[in-house]
Structures are given as C-alpha cells and as structure tokens.
Amino acid sequence: MYNKFERWIENILSQELPSDIIAINFNLYEEENDVWSLELVGTASFDTEDDDWACDETFDTRETPLRWEQKADWEDILENISSIINEYLEKGQYAEKLKTYQGVGVGFVDSDIKLLYKR
C-alpha cells in the first residue's frame, strides 16, 4: 500500500499547489464493499485547538482520490494510513515540501483529525 500511496502523492506534490495553502489534511472515506478512499486537501487556516481548519479548503484532489480495497474496520484503516503518511514524511521524495506547511493531518470526514506533523 505504501508504494500506491507514494505514486499518488508524488503525482500531486510534483505540481505547483496554490500559494494560499498553509496546512494539509488527508480526508478518509469509507465507501461500499470494503473500498476506502483518500483525498488531499490544502487549507487556508490551521488551528491545533479546532479541527474545523480542515474545512477551510482552497485545494482538493476530490476528482483523483486514492482508492483501495481492504477488509478492515475504520480504526485499522486510520492507523494504517497514518503509518503510511508518517513513513512518507520521513523518507518521501516530497516530504520536505509537506513539512513547509504548518500542519499535516489525517482523519475521516466529519470526525476528529489526527495531527501527524506540526511545524
């Protein structure tokens, strides 16, 4: 799964992103038949005390999400994708680009955000 994520994220991060982005969040979605999807959103605000910062979107990959099939519950999916993103933040080609933002989070839409990186 890491390699699939890496190809997807590097396709996004190799492009110029809007200059008004100050934080990144990865939104997780549970679809049907054990299918999950992930999108990247860039936000114009960031607040460690209020997860609503992730709703202040100025950029998204809603048209090109990462999709995969995995039989698991949502807690395992969140833990798994968090580990993958953390690994990318450690060694990914565009890890330093992600670390220029004030924060990087992940979470299911309409749920709490798990903050993975804070500058």
Side-chain angles (χ1 to χ4, degrees), residues 60-109:
D60 69 68
T61 62
R62 212 154 277 134
E63 298 298 317
T64 57
L66 175 65
R67 283 198 170 93
W68 71 99
E69 188 174 334
Q70 182 177 350
K71 193 161 188 67
D73 61 28
W74 71 268
E75 292 100 337
D76 290 337
I77 294 295
L78 179 59
E79 188 59 38
N80 186 22
I81 204 69
S82 296
S83 295
I84 289 169
I85 295 168
N86 276 327
E87 184 178 349
Y88 190 84
L89 284 166
E90 288 177 21
K91 68 177 190 177
Q93 180 179 354
Y94 294 100
E96 293 308 312
K97 183 174 184 176
L98 281 175
K99 292 177 183 177
T100 64
Y101 298 107
Q102 290 182 21
V104 177
V106 64
F108 281 90
V109 174

Side-chain angles (χ1 to χ4, degrees), residues 17-33:
L17 299 181
S19 61
D20 59 352
I21 295 174
I22 66 166
I24 297 288
N25 194 57
F26 291 93
N27 289 334
L28 276 164
Y29 296 90
E30 181 176 8
E31 299 183 21
E32 296 179 348
N33 302 319

